[in-house]
Amino acid sequence: TFPLKEFDTEKGVILQEIAMSFDDHEEYIFDLFSEKIYRDHPMGWPILGTEKSVQGIERKHIRSFYKKYFRGENIIVSVVGNVDHDEVVKAIRPILGKIEKRSPILKRTKPKFHHHQVDYFRDIEQTHVLVGFEAPDLKDPLRFASFILSTALGGGMTSILYQKIREKKGLAYTVYSTISNATDSGLMMIYAGTEPDKKDDVLEIIQKEIRKIKRNGFDKNMLERYKTQIRGYLLLNDDDLESRMNSLCLNEMLFGKYRSISDTVESIEKTYVKDIHKLLDEYVDINKMSYMTLGPDKN
């Protein structure tokens, strides 16, 4: 029904959330980074929108969007727990069975990856450093190799960059690597928060360690160590009901079928040293490394 009072209240809540995101500099630099990487493509737009775009939304826009896209073909129901599948279907069919199946065809263009090296000034205490490389998309078999490489670089306390930047040099409290995969694009990012006069040291270590991996590659023992770490993470994550619910939904949405946790683990196990080296050759090029800093250093 979208009551007008509730609509206006929620707009205010989202505007506050946008303001909060500006104050969370670790989160904000990721938004800025995507904006530079993907430019005018929707992949580069902030998921919250902007103050201007939210202010411009009217109740009629929400109603129109709802009627256009909340249709049968666009709705996936994912249920986990001690339930019977047939009973769930019986319970929801009277409600969802009334929803029209016809959906508009959404056209999507593949985003282009634009390399950049940018320093943003903001009067804050810490400098935030973000480094990025293009990565495989969700349909690419090399995505499993990218998970392993990301884990090796910054996937926890035993990772290479955590040990080098935090434990040995004490240059950052927070340092990690993350993979962002879409259906037609991917991005591997390395983040660190450091003192303003240490940002060049952090960037130098990141480049040095990536060059070392490209030069020396992975050996079998190294590969097995990080495979084990990922396998443990996946199995622990599968014990969380909300995580399992999301996984069921995403697999249905992206692949149109159920993929068990054992299927994913098997794909990780079938990743070999040659796959890591192929990933490094095709995607990890220091000369095309994008980076961004956000901090108080005007120079």
Side-chain angles (χ1 to χ4, degrees):
T1 57
F2 303 108
L4 184 59
K5 184 180 177 182
E6 296 294 331
F7 173 74
D8 290 336
T9 299
E10 188 59 31
K11 279 176 68 171
V13 171
I14 296 169
L15 290 170
Q16 287 298 314
E17 194 173 358
I18 291 172
M20 284 173 60
S21 73
F22 291 147
D23 290 335
D24 186 341
H25 303 117
E26 182 180 336
E27 178 182 330
Y28 184 51
I29 194 173
F30 279 88
D31 284 343
L32 288 174
F33 197 83
S34 294
E35 187 180 309
K36 285 290 182 183
I37 286 288
Y38 296 120
R39 294 190 183 172
D40 294 329
H41 191 278
M43 286 281 286
W45 300 348
I47 196 77
L48 286 171
T50 64
E51 184 176 347
K52 182 180 179 181
S53 70
V54 173
Q55 291 280 23
I57 297 174
E58 298 177 18
R59 184 166 169 262
K60 64 182 180 181
H61 299 142
I62 299 294
R63 290 182 64 85
S64 174
F65 183 89
Y66 179 81
K67 288 179 179 179
K68 187 175 182 180
Y69 293 109
F70 279 68
R71 307 230 179 180
E73 291 176 5
N74 284 340
I75 297 175
I76 296 171
V77 180
S78 178
V79 182
V80 296
N82 185 20
V83 294
D84 179 81
H85 176 81
D86 292 336
E87 288 181 4
V88 172
V89 172
K90 183 179 179 181
I92 65 174
R93 179 165 281 159
I95 303 166
L96 296 185
K98 299 174 184 176
I99 297 176
E100 293 183 51
K101 289 187 176 182
R102 182 170 45 84
S103 303
I105 297 174
L106 299 176
K107 293 182 179 179
R108 176 180 170 87
T109 57
K110 181 177 179 178
K112 292 181 180 179
F113 192 92
H114 300 276
H115 303 286
H116 66 270
Q117 296 181 342
V118 185
D119 297 293
Y120 283 108
F121 168 72
R122 185 174 273 198
D123 190 14
I124 54 180
E125 293 296 320
Q126 196 177 39
T127 292
H128 302 265
V129 178
L130 192 56
V131 168
F133 296 91
E134 196 168 1
D137 61 46
L138 279 169
K139 304 292 177 69
D140 191 330
L142 281 179
R143 72 184 185 278
F144 298 106
S146 73
F147 298 157
I148 295 170
L149 177 62
S150 179
T151 302
L153 285 171
M157 292 186 291
T158 61
S159 66
I160 295 166
L161 294 176
Y162 188 96
Q163 286 295 314
K164 296 285 184 179
I165 292 174
R166 174 173 161 155
E167 295 298 297
K168 291 187 178 180
K169 297 289 186 178
L171 295 175
Y173 177 76
T174 303
V175 54
Y176 59 85
S177 176
T178 183
I179 291 282
S180 174
N181 300 108
T183 54
D184 55 8
S185 57
L187 185 58
M188 183 175 76
M189 294 170 285
I190 299 163
Y191 168 86
T194 187
E195 294 179 30
D197 61 346
K198 300 292 195 300
K199 72 174 184 181
D200 289 338
D201 296 332
V202 169
L203 282 166
E204 185 179 341
I205 291 172
I206 291 171
Q207 292 179 79
K208 180 181 177 182
E209 294 306 319
I210 290 173
R211 283 195 178 98
K212 189 185 292 184
I213 286 180
K214 281 186 67 72
R215 183 174 64 249
N216 301 334
F218 266 42
D219 60 35
K220 191 173 181 180
N221 290 335
M222 186 178 181
L223 177 63
E224 291 304 319
R225 181 164 73 249
Y226 291 114
K227 275 185 181 180
T228 300
Q229 184 176 330
I230 293 174
R231 185 170 61 243
Y233 167 79
L234 289 170
L235 293 172
L236 282 172
N237 212 36
D238 193 51
D239 282 341
D240 181 82
L241 288 181
E242 186 174 348
S243 173
R244 196 182 305 176
M245 178 187 69
N246 288 335
S247 179
L248 285 169
C249 186
L250 284 170
N251 280 313
E252 179 65 30
M253 187 187 302
L254 297 171
F255 303 109
K257 62 180 181 180
Y258 171 65
R259 278 178 59 87
S260 68
I261 194 68
S262 59
D263 292 332
T264 305
V265 169
E266 184 180 354
S267 296
I268 293 292
E269 293 295 351
K270 288 183 177 179
T271 301
Y272 304 106
V273 169
K274 65 179 182 180
D275 299 311
I276 303 292
H277 293 167
K278 184 178 181 183
L279 174 77
L280 289 166
D281 289 340
E282 293 185 11
Y283 288 95
V284 185
D285 183 350
I286 287 290
N287 296 321
K288 294 181 179 180
M289 183 186 86
S290 293
Y291 84 81
M292 179 179 288
T293 66
L294 176 67
D297 186 358
K298 289 184 181 180
N299 299 315

